[in-house]
Every structure is written in C-alpha cells, then in structure tokens.
Amino acid sequence: MIRRRFVILLAVCALISAIRVWPLSWTPVKRGFGMSDTSAQAFGTLWNGQVTEHPKLGDVHYRLSPLKVLKGASPLQFVATSPGLYAQGEGGFHHAANLTLQAGLAQLLPHVLPGFTGDIQAEIDTFRFAKASETALCQAASGHVETDVLTRNVALFDIQGPKLAGPLSCVDGVLHARLRGQDASLALLSDIYLYRNGTYQAQVWINSYDPDIHTRLQLYGFKRTQNGYTFTHTGMWR
C-alpha cells in the first residue's frame, strides 16, 4: 500500500513538473491567440511565455498564475508592444484590470476617422467582458481616456481643436467614453459609444464665438442649435 501511494505521489509530481515547463509552442497557441496563417512565433512555457509578431499586438510577454484565482487576484499579467501600440495590465477569462494603453488612432481604431493621425491614452481600472452568448460588449468598465486627435489634424479639419479627455464606462452593455475639451476658440463635448456588433456612434457638441469656425462647422455638416453646433456620426470601429 505504501509503495502504491509512493508511485502515485511520484506520478503526480512528475505531471506537475511537466505542466510547469510545458513548452508554449506545443500548445494550439496560434489558434488561441488568433495567429493562424501568420509568421507569429511562440516561446517560453505555458505559464511564462512570449508571442512575437502577432498581427495586431506585436510582441506579447505574459505570465499565467492560476493559483492567484484562489486569492481573488488576476491570474494573467501581460505586456504588449508594437509600432504605435503599448499595453500593460492584468486579467482573466472575463475581465481586465489596471490596464495602461497607449496607441495611435490608426493602430487601435483603423476604421474610425481614416486618414487622421493622433494618439489615444487610456487608464482602465476595470473592464468586465460580456458573455459570448450576450449581445452586450461589456458588463462593467471604469477608467479614463485622453486623445490629441483634434490638435494634430488642422490640415484636414481646418480647425485647431483642444485635447480631449474624460471617463470611460459601460452603459447597458455599451462601452461609453465622454470626452471634453476647451481652448481659446471653442469648447467641445463628445459622447462615443462602441457596440458589440462592431458599430459605433459619436455625438459631438461644439460651442464657439468665432464666426469663421461657425462657417466651417456648417460645411462639415454640423447643425446649429441654441447652444452651439451638433453632429452625429456612425460607422464601424472594427
């Protein structure tokens, strides 16, 4: 009986040791990371690995610690870097937390404002994904977003706008960012909504005392209201 227990113990220890050093390249990582038919490569182990040349994320370093779930902590820590993108944070199967994101508009949202340049910076405290069976994009979200898009596209928009910043939240399953900005020439408020089906809606309100800006806004399709000008735009964000 003692010998049998000893053999079982050795087998369990061997299994745990094998799992701890299990090469990442032996797992179906290309399918799991969305890397099929790409030049992406996987290195390291299942628990401490690296994925290079990911088509969207670039180089990804991560550490997976399942036992942290028992302590109420996130089991996954990661850092992703590529030209125009930096992301660092932690998460699990259904959530992300303490996420720092710095990305160019073209890299993060290539279908939104094509031809425009600018950067987006976000500090996301929490983000809880909706279930695959749901039509919602999120269950909960909190954070802060900033962008300099309006300051860097004067040649395209013909208006020098301010930097925009504001809170990020989840409203009825829709990811919502409310951005505000003001400078000497205008004040702007924008509500941006991202939906699960890949569409977005941007509602913009601008108030300005500059008559030249009034003329340009009307040329771009803004409608005049008692409190300034408003414009609503819809499209695909992915």
Side-chain angles (χ1 to χ4, degrees):
M1 180 65 69
I2 295 178
R3 181 179 180 183
R4 181 181 179 184
R5 290 179 179 177
F6 182 70
V7 171
I8 294 175
L9 178 61
L10 286 179
V12 171
C13 292
L15 178 60
I16 293 175
S17 299
I19 292 176
R20 288 186 61 187
V21 298
W22 193 272
L24 184 61
S25 59
W26 290 8
T27 66
V29 65
K30 283 204 169 186
R31 181 181 301 177
F33 278 85
M35 307 185 314
S36 299
D37 301 324
T38 71
S39 60
Q41 299 293 325
F43 304 94
T45 67
L46 182 62
W47 313 109
N48 187 2
Q50 176 184 359
V51 175
T52 63
E53 299 184 34
H54 188 280
K56 294 183 178 180
L57 300 177
D59 296 341
V60 181
H61 299 258
Y62 76 90
R63 183 182 295 273
L64 184 61
S65 304
L67 291 180
K68 286 190 175 183
V69 176
L70 301 177
K71 302 178 182 179
S74 299
L76 175 68
Q77 287 77 42
F78 64 89
V79 177
T81 57
S82 71
L85 173 67
Y86 173 83
Q88 179 179 1
E90 58 188 50
F93 288 108
H94 303 294
H95 78 281
N98 302 321
L99 176 63
T100 297
L101 178 65
Q102 300 174 1
L105 176 66
Q107 285 76 23
L108 187 63
L109 299 170
H111 302 294
V112 178
L113 299 177
F116 281 64
T117 60
D119 293 324
I120 298 174
Q121 297 183 352
E123 295 289 339
I124 302 176
D125 302 321
T126 59
F127 186 95
R128 184 164 293 278
F129 300 95
K131 297 179 181 179
S133 59
E134 298 178 350
T135 58
L137 176 63
C138 54
Q139 290 183 343
S142 64
H144 183 82
V145 183
E146 298 181 4
T147 180
D148 61 358
V149 171
L150 293 184
T151 69
R152 297 176 55 182
N153 294 276
V154 180
L156 292 174
F157 197 50
D158 201 26
I159 295 177
Q160 176 70 55
K163 288 186 176 181
L164 303 177
L168 184 72
S169 62
C170 181
V171 180
D172 296 328
V174 179
L175 190 61
H176 172 224
R178 166 160 280 200
L179 305 180
R180 298 176 184 267
Q182 184 173 350
D183 59 15
S185 60
L186 62 84
L188 183 148
L189 168 66
S190 179
D191 282 316
I192 302 173
Y193 302 90
L194 301 185
Y195 298 89
R196 174 73 172 265
N197 62 4
T199 61
Y200 76 90
Q201 182 183 69
Q203 299 174 339
V204 183
W205 293 268
I206 295 179
N207 192 6
S208 175
Y209 295 104
D210 189 337
D212 292 335
I213 291 181
H214 294 181
T215 301
R216 297 189 191 105
L217 291 176
Q218 293 180 62
L219 290 175
Y220 288 125
F222 280 76
K223 296 181 180 180
R224 188 162 191 171
T225 67
Q226 292 181 346
N227 299 319
Y229 290 85
T230 182
F231 181 78
T232 300
H233 180 68
T234 59
M236 302 297 297
W237 64 270
R238 64 178 181 184

